[in-house]
Amino acid sequence: VETTGVRKWLRLAAERHDVQFWTSKDDRPPRSPFHGRMLDSFTGEEGWVKAIMAPFVSAELKELHFSFERTNVAQQPYAFGSVLYKGTLKEVMVQRLPAAVNVFNVVEHGRHFYRTLVWTSDVHNCLADFQPRAKVLSMDTFQLVSNTDPLQLAESGPSLVITRNLFAELGEQTYIPRQYLEGTLPASLLDNYVFWQDMRDSTLSGYQRPELADGTKAPSMIKVVLQAVGGADHEGFDLALADACIKRYSLLAPVTDDTPPQVDPDAPVLTLTNPAKGGERFRKMTEVFLRLDTMSQVLFWSSQVGTMPHFIELPRLQLSFSARPSGGEEALYLCDNEAGYSVSNARDPMVLSLIAGVPHGLLLQNASGDYAIICGATAMPLHPETETDPFTGALILNRGSKEWIAGVGSVRHYMYLVHVSRMFLLMPTLAASLYMLLLRFLDRRYGAVFRMADSIVSDTALTVEEAQIFDLLEWTLMDNDPNAHACRLKISLATSASDAMTPPWNLPEQLAGYATVSRFVATECRLTLEEESFLLAQVSSVHSVVLDNRRKIVDALASGLTAKVGKLQFPLMPALINYDSVADNSAAAGAGVDLSGLSLPAYSEPDETTGTLALRFLNSVVEDGLALGASGFDLTSGLIGMATGAGMGKAIKTVGFLLAYELMTGTLRTKILGSDNSHTLGALLVRIIDPDAMHSGFLASALRVMAHNYWKCVHWSPLPDATYLPNYRTEYRRLLEEERKSTSGINKYLGKVTDMAATMPAMRKFLQLVAASLSGLTTAGKLQLPLATQEAPEALRYITFEPMSQVERILMGLVTPRSTDVSMGARVLTAVALGGEEFSGADLKGLALRLMEPIGMDTFLVSGRPVLGSQQALTAGGKWPFEVEAAAAAQTVMAQDMVRRLKGDLQLHADRLASTNPEVLVGFSAQDLREYVKDPQGRKANEAVKQVTKLLTALEELHAKDTARAAAAIAAVLAAANSTEGAGTQVGRRKYELAQLSGQAPVLWFEFLVALLINKDAEAELVKLNPFLSEADAAAVV
């Protein structure tokens, strides 16, 4: 079409597309409409802007001094600003709620200027997808900023502009590359639609990407209508401002180059609502759904502008929720993917404890009051790598990892049903089990991890989704809690027979770690002796003293041995310098102390500190190391600094002798706790001074003697007195001032700078005072001189186990809650009263024989043939009503056992049907149903409706009553099982209760008690785990 010096314009005639290749960038500097006031001007009601920017202006954004628009933003959802940084125009958008700071680069493309998001302070609350990085805001809080650089410059160079003119009704359109819409439109729209701009009115049209077409959903298109704010741009810098109204239209057919958009006239037009705008009610609703995914991936659609969203879409998770009237002010949001479940506002403490540690989980509930937790499978959970809180249980949710998302299966979310007891979750798949175990581990809920470990095993190859979750367990290696070692070993134990699952850690290292800290492992996470012995047998202990000793001890304990155990190995003593093996008291000898040529530089006198400031100071001292004297001393700069009044402390960081001397004499009262004394701290620092320098010499000897005599050191005198140690700060300064008066000024120092190391009279005189004081105290018999200590005796090489009570065995970690027996074929239930809850014989009879007895179920039933005559035929002879043996999931050993059991149950059911006359609901015989079909509004049909309504009401009331009673019963059983109010002394009981609180004695949980029902020795097991229970108490619990 046209060729110039900067542009080549081609028309692809057969394709109805034009391409314009701009060979150079626009030399005009871009402009911004946002400028006029600085950040400090935002005060009062506008102070929210400054508050949100505060954590970043001195860090990530310290080089970007933004100028903001002059508009009053007291009631606005955003504040905009700009800055020209090294030739790149940057704009900032400060978002009020949810709070976020977004930095854009203004870039040129085809002689037009566009914004592209390059950095955000909150990856969860911006419209683009970024990889997260944890920014620590305080000791226990952090924020996920984007792992990008806000200072990155805009790239400049050639650009390619593509236009098309396919249909007259669409007119000429220009293709808008995705990067120029990042942060302006939600990423989920950019993922699924390609955008073209109408050259007539600047409207953007989004057309579904053909490779993402979903045959189960109607095709659609997006319209972004721009509504001008202010005047037009007459300077060609794209400075005109506009609000966008985003609408979605359902189409009758997909759009192609040959098929224009055909809007479905019967489908509603949806308008996208901005989560950052709207009132308090809307904001609370958005907070709920933003738990599931980021703002860029949650779309709030309304059928009318200005109304509450009635359709919430989460494309990345392939989830959606539709609003339904609830009978109250708030709508009920039903999950379209999980039939019957809606978002729950329940605050049941037991249920909330289950969702704790799942920050992206959403609580659902159905009409029957059953709960479920739904969370996205596309969120990759990790611990933040932060030095300020190495034991954090907080999670980073990397929701935008393309590699992780690619490994997720066709279902992008996990649905965990809450058991009716509300004590645990039901796992729908192996992937869901692995994911929840990982979340529990990262949340440091070790008891839950330990109990779940047995349920994550597969004897077939893991899917990509399962494998990537299992591999993430490697992140738990950051966790060195004793219980974490136990959990990793439990996972190794559970997967030991599976060739498909090799845990991502070194088993010998974990066993050694467990052996080292096993005393501190909570009872609920302890391995049994048999389990630990099995794992120890899997590894070699030839080169591990710890594992060899642990194996001997475990084997002895497992065999019940109570005498001497084997011969244990001890690791070789490391080659360390023994401070106490030297006794140099020469500094206190008086005559004969040689101080010739001995001196010290002045040092930077530290401020007195306590608490965390003292810890930071001590940390720097320990990290840098302590030299006894002037190690590393820059003589020239030190002397010049002293002579000019700057102080020699500018030249050396820490002098070990002087720091320890000040601490031990009390002139420097630095302490960690207010009740500490500085002498102890100084005496400890003496032990970390360079050991080579502490073998001999006056300075080393003086510190050794002082460290050994606390009361003689702290009572220093402000006057030179042979019975006290001199005050460094007063005496040295006095001597230094006398020295200065006797010299002829700075020239004397500068002229003899090479001789000054041996001729510092002030410091030498001060050391002479120290020597005199130590000698005087020795002569007066007021000093206790240190003696050299002997080497430590050889450690005992045998361990003896004395007979222990059951409580002692528990506290030693030798008893663990485990129920392995499953031989109880039947159990007789008897009436019992427990913790205020009474279960009568009538209750038990109804439970065992007729579950609906409390509502008078006989009044609703009548004998007769089943309505569906084929039901018995389907199951007769144990035939399957559907085929499952061929499914991939049915090929494992466990699955095949389950199939065989199901066949047996089916046969039993068929036999029962053949031998009994089944009951049907009154009014629901086959004849009754035929009459209802003939006359749906007749008397009999109305009577049937009343009968069903009556039954439903009775069932709902019974359900509510049973739920409340079950919760009370569970609480009563748990309280009774863990009670210590039986045998023993009061002191013994309280001691055991403290052990329970600390995790060192068992606190039994509901699932474990249920498992005991099929243990033939259930009562004895209970007494073993809680020695304060009597046999009668244990029987009542069971």
Side-chain angles (χ1 to χ4, degrees):
V1 177
E2 181 181 66
T3 300
T4 66
V6 295
R7 182 183 68 175
K8 188 172 185 178
W9 183 358
L10 301 176
R11 176 163 294 153
L12 311 179
E15 302 294 337
R16 295 170 288 174
H17 283 65
D18 286 11
V19 292
Q20 300 179 40
F21 179 59
W22 294 85
T23 58
S24 64
K25 70 180 186 69
D26 193 339
D27 292 329
R28 299 175 301 161
R31 300 179 186 177
S32 174
F34 310 125
H35 56 81
R37 58 188 298 194
M38 302 310 292
L39 182 61
D40 288 340
S41 67
F42 291 97
T43 59
E45 291 185 345
E46 294 183 299
W48 64 268
V49 179
K50 190 174 180 180
I52 293 174
M53 290 280 288
F56 313 103
V57 293
S58 60
E60 291 87 349
L61 307 181
K62 63 182 177 181
E63 295 185 37
L64 302 178
H65 306 291
F66 289 105
S67 173
F68 289 82
E69 59 181 335
R70 290 189 173 90
T71 306
N72 185 298
V73 296
Q75 305 301 323
Q76 298 300 315
Y78 302 107
F80 299 93
S82 67
V83 64
L84 189 62
Y85 177 74
K86 296 183 179 181
T88 294
L89 179 62
K90 290 183 172 290
E91 292 184 340
V92 64
M93 180 183 76
V94 185
Q95 181 175 285
R96 190 169 192 169
L97 290 171
V101 179
N102 299 313
V103 177
F104 296 80
N105 277 354
V106 176
V107 295
E108 182 268 341
H109 175 79
R111 296 307 187 265
H112 284 280
F113 294 99
Y114 298 89
R115 296 180 182 90
T116 184
L117 187 64
V118 295
W119 182 85
T120 181
S121 68
D122 191 339
V123 295
H124 288 170
N125 291 316
C126 79
L127 295 181
D129 285 334
F130 284 109
Q131 295 298 301
R133 175 180 65 82
K135 174 185 173 62
V136 178
L137 299 181
S138 63
M139 181 63 74
D140 58 352
T141 60
F142 66 92
Q143 187 160 323
L144 296 184
V145 303
S146 61
N147 194 23
T148 54
D149 184 5
L151 305 181
Q152 64 179 279
L153 304 179
E155 296 182 0
S156 59
S159 55
L160 184 69
V161 178
I162 303 174
T163 60
R164 69 181 186 183
N165 198 337
L166 300 180
F167 308 103
E169 58 268 34
L170 297 181
E172 185 178 3
Q173 295 176 306
T174 300
Y175 171 65
I176 306 298
R178 173 174 181 148
Q179 61 264 36
Y180 303 133
L181 296 173
E182 291 283 5
T184 303
L185 293 183
S188 56
L189 293 182
L190 303 181
D191 291 339
N192 292 282
Y193 297 86
V194 178
F195 285 88
W196 295 78
Q197 188 166 30
D198 193 319
M199 301 301 290
R200 299 169 298 185
D201 58 7
S202 297
T203 297
L204 287 169
S205 296
Y207 303 98
Q208 281 184 306
R209 298 179 183 273
E211 68 273 17
L212 301 179
D214 184 355
T216 64
K217 297 180 180 178
S220 61
M221 69 172 293
I222 299 294
K223 280 283 189 181
V224 183
V225 180
L226 301 183
Q227 301 168 343
V229 177
D233 172 37
H234 300 292
E235 302 181 31
F237 286 93
D238 299 300
L239 298 177
L241 302 179
D243 286 334
C245 181
I246 303 175
K247 295 180 179 292
R248 185 166 75 183
Y249 297 84
S250 294
L251 304 179
L252 296 175
V255 177
T256 66
D257 286 355
D258 300 316
T259 307
Q262 303 175 52
V263 175
D264 184 350
D266 299 324
V269 178
L270 301 180
T271 302
L272 189 64
T273 306
N274 186 349
K277 296 184 177 181
E280 184 69 17
R281 181 181 166 209
F282 173 59
R283 191 154 41 246
K284 288 183 177 180
M285 187 270 289
T286 60
E287 288 175 355
V288 171
F289 289 100
L290 288 177
R291 287 178 60 94
L292 286 172
D293 213 335
T294 63
M295 185 185 289
S296 64
Q297 294 290 337
V298 183
L299 303 176
F300 299 91
W301 298 103
S302 300
S303 55
Q304 296 180 357
V305 178
T307 62
M308 288 288 288
H310 80 281
F311 182 64
I312 290 89
E313 185 179 22
L314 298 97
R316 185 156 61 194
L317 303 185
Q318 299 173 358
L319 280 174
S320 64
F321 294 82
S322 299
R324 297 288 187 274
S326 64
E329 182 180 351
E330 303 297 333
L332 195 66
Y333 285 93
L334 295 176
C335 182
D336 299 326
N337 310 78
E338 302 292 345
Y341 280 91
S342 62
V343 177
S344 173
N345 290 322
R347 294 295 180 266
D348 186 304
M350 297 173 67
V351 176
L352 293 180
S353 69
L354 295 175
I355 201 172
V358 188
H360 56 313
L362 190 59
L363 185 63
L364 305 181
Q365 187 176 8
N366 64 14
S368 299
D370 302 319
Y371 292 102
I373 295 172
I374 193 170
C375 69
T378 58
M380 179 181 178
L382 300 169
H383 264 320
E385 295 185 77
T386 167
E387 295 181 357
T388 59
D389 188 7
F391 304 107
T392 178
L395 296 182
I396 287 181
L397 293 176
N398 186 349
R399 304 176 190 255
S401 171
K402 294 181 180 179
E403 295 78 12
W404 179 269
I405 294 173
V408 177
S410 57
V411 178
R412 297 290 187 88
H413 63 273
Y414 300 125
M415 178 80 164
Y416 302 95
L417 299 181
V418 176
H419 186 262
V420 67
S421 67
R422 303 181 185 178
M423 302 296 292
F424 57 91
L425 300 175
L426 304 178
M427 303 295 154
T429 63
L430 176 60
S433 297
L434 287 167
Y435 193 78
M436 184 56 67
L437 178 132
L438 177 62
L439 290 176
R440 297 299 193 219
F441 212 144
L442 295 177
D443 193 41
R444 305 185 189 279
R445 300 177 69 172
Y446 304 114
V449 174
F450 200 86
R451 293 193 291 271
M452 289 180 64
D454 289 325
S455 67
I456 63 160
V457 185
S458 173
D459 54 1
T460 59
L462 300 181
T463 65
V464 175
E465 180 179 8
E466 295 161 353
Q468 69 181 12
I469 301 172
F470 190 68
D471 290 343
L472 270 191
L473 287 172
E474 183 177 6
W475 276 81
T476 68
L477 291 173
M478 298 169 57
D479 189 348
N480 287 313
D481 188 285
N483 296 312
H485 285 291
C487 288
R488 286 190 283 268
L489 290 180
K490 180 64 174 178
I491 293 171
S492 294
L493 182 70
T495 59
S496 59
S498 173
D499 295 331
M501 304 179 77
T502 302
W505 45 71
N506 182 288
L507 182 57
E509 289 180 1
Q510 294 304 313
L511 282 167
Y514 180 82
T516 305
V517 299
S518 60
R519 177 65 183 84
F520 307 103
V521 174
T523 307
E524 63 179 349
C525 296
R526 286 178 189 156
L527 298 172
T528 64
L529 294 173
E530 293 76 15
E531 291 170 340
E532 190 175 358
S533 179
F534 174 84
L535 290 174
L536 286 167
Q538 311 303 309
V539 301
S540 171
S541 61
V542 174
H543 303 295
S544 174
V545 173
V546 173
L547 293 183
D548 184 67
N549 290 340
R550 184 68 179 179
R551 178 180 286 110
K552 293 174 182 177
I553 294 172
V554 168
D555 289 347
L557 289 171
S559 66
L561 186 65
T562 59
K564 196 162 54 177
V565 178
K567 187 172 183 179
L568 305 181
Q569 301 183 59
F570 279 77
L572 297 175
M573 180 68 70
L576 299 175
I577 297 175
N578 187 352
Y579 170 89
D580 295 304
S581 66
V582 175
D584 182 4
N585 302 321
S586 59
V593 175
D594 183 13
L595 299 178
S596 61
L598 182 61
S599 189
L600 289 172
Y603 80 121
S604 180
E605 299 170 357
D607 296 328
E608 288 187 357
T609 55
T610 58
T612 56
L613 292 178
L615 285 172
R616 289 174 183 170
F617 167 71
L618 293 172
N619 185 57
S620 65
V621 169
V622 173
E623 282 189 348
D624 296 342
L626 274 177
L628 178 62
S631 176
F633 174 57
D634 185 341
L635 186 62
T636 304
S637 63
L639 289 176
I640 293 175
M642 183 185 71
T644 57
M648 293 183 66
K650 302 292 184 183
I652 188 166
K653 189 167 187 179
T654 305
V655 180
F657 176 84
L658 294 175
L659 176 62
Y661 183 93
E662 282 214 281
L663 286 169
M664 289 194 292
T665 55
T667 54
L668 175 63
R669 294 185 177 88
T670 290
K671 306 175 183 180
I672 298 174
L673 299 178
S675 58
D676 293 344
N677 67 73
S678 60
H679 179 275
T680 303
L681 188 56
L684 289 172
L685 290 181
V686 168
R687 292 174 173 269
I688 67 169
I689 293 176
D690 181 7
D692 292 333
M694 288 297 292
H695 271 289
S696 61
F698 172 78
L699 298 180
S701 176
L703 291 182
R704 286 179 179 275
V705 172
M706 292 171 65
H708 208 65
N709 291 271
Y710 166 52
W711 291 109
K712 305 304 182 297
C713 292
V714 296
H715 295 297
W716 50 264
S717 171
L719 300 175
D721 187 331
T723 60
Y724 292 100
L725 292 172
N727 182 326
Y728 167 75
R729 299 200 180 192
T730 59
E731 288 303 302
Y732 175 69
R733 288 171 182 168
R734 179 182 64 78
L735 295 169
L736 185 61
E737 185 61 28
E738 291 178 357
E739 180 182 328
R740 283 177 171 170
K741 291 179 180 179
S742 65
T743 63
S744 58
I746 191 172
N747 291 331
K748 180 173 181 177
Y749 288 97
L750 296 178
K752 297 184 179 181
V753 69
T754 56
D755 301 328
M756 292 307 295
T759 57
M760 288 181 168
M763 181 58 71
R764 191 167 61 253
K765 288 179 180 178
F766 173 74
L767 294 176
Q768 288 173 344
L769 290 176
V770 174
S773 295
L774 290 174
S775 176
L777 289 167
T778 303
T779 302
K782 295 183 178 181
L783 282 184
Q784 182 181 358
L785 301 180
L787 300 174
T789 59
Q790 300 297 322
E791 295 294 333
E794 183 180 11
L796 295 175
R797 295 185 177 271
Y798 297 92
I799 292 181
T800 301
F801 294 102
E802 300 293 340
M804 291 180 285
S805 69
Q806 185 63 14
V807 171
E808 289 172 329
R809 288 181 59 81
I810 290 174
L811 298 182
M812 278 287 291
L814 303 180
V815 177
T816 55
R818 208 77 90 246
S819 181
T820 56
D821 182 84
V822 293
S823 61
M824 190 71 173
R827 183 171 291 279
V828 177
L829 300 182
T830 59
V832 64
L834 195 66
E837 293 296 319
E838 182 178 356
F839 300 90
S840 65
D843 291 330
L844 295 175
K845 183 178 180 181
L847 179 66
L849 302 177
R850 295 185 71 82
L851 291 175
M852 303 304 168
E853 185 68 27
I855 66 170
M857 195 63 190
D858 290 341
T859 62
F860 295 97
L861 297 175
V862 64
S863 298
R865 300 300 300 166
V867 174
L868 299 176
S870 60
Q871 180 180 347
Q872 186 170 341
L874 274 172
T875 58
K879 293 175 59 179
W880 285 97
F882 44 80
E883 183 65 36
V884 297
E885 290 98 328
Q891 303 310 306
T892 67
V893 174
M894 292 167 55
Q896 290 171 2
D897 287 342
M898 187 180 294
V899 168
R900 283 192 291 271
R901 178 174 174 179
L902 287 174
K903 284 186 174 181
D905 290 346
L906 194 60
Q907 181 63 55
L908 178 62
H909 178 62
D911 294 343
R912 285 181 175 176
L913 285 178
S915 61
T916 59
N917 195 17
E919 297 174 315
V920 297
L921 288 174
V922 172
F924 279 80
S925 66
Q927 179 60 37
D928 292 332
L929 292 179
R930 283 191 288 269
E931 291 187 19
Y932 303 156
V933 171
K934 292 180 180 178
D935 187 8
Q937 302 300 325
R939 181 183 60 81
K940 285 192 174 183
N942 290 331
E943 290 295 330
V945 170
K946 291 179 181 179
Q947 179 77 348
V948 171
T949 302
K950 181 181 178 182
L951 175 60
L952 288 175
T953 301
L955 288 173
E956 288 171 355
E957 291 175 352
L958 180 62
H959 179 270
K961 181 180 178 181
D962 285 348
T963 299
R965 195 171 183 191
I970 290 172
V973 167
L974 289 174
N978 293 298
S979 174
T980 62
E981 297 304 318
T985 65
Q986 183 176 3
V987 172
R989 292 196 297 270
R990 297 301 172 258
K991 179 181 177 181
Y992 193 81
E993 289 169 1
L994 288 174
Q996 287 180 315
L997 289 173
S998 65
Q1000 297 306 298
V1003 177
L1004 304 179
W1005 58 97
F1006 181 65
E1007 300 98 305
F1008 177 77
L1009 296 178
V1010 172
L1012 284 179
L1013 289 176
I1014 55 175
N1015 186 324
K1016 71 178 186 304
D1017 300 317
E1019 292 83 356
E1021 287 289 331
L1022 271 179
V1023 174
K1024 184 194 302 183
L1025 293 169
N1026 184 353
F1028 294 92
L1029 288 180
S1030 65
E1031 293 184 1
D1033 294 334
V1037 169
V1038 175

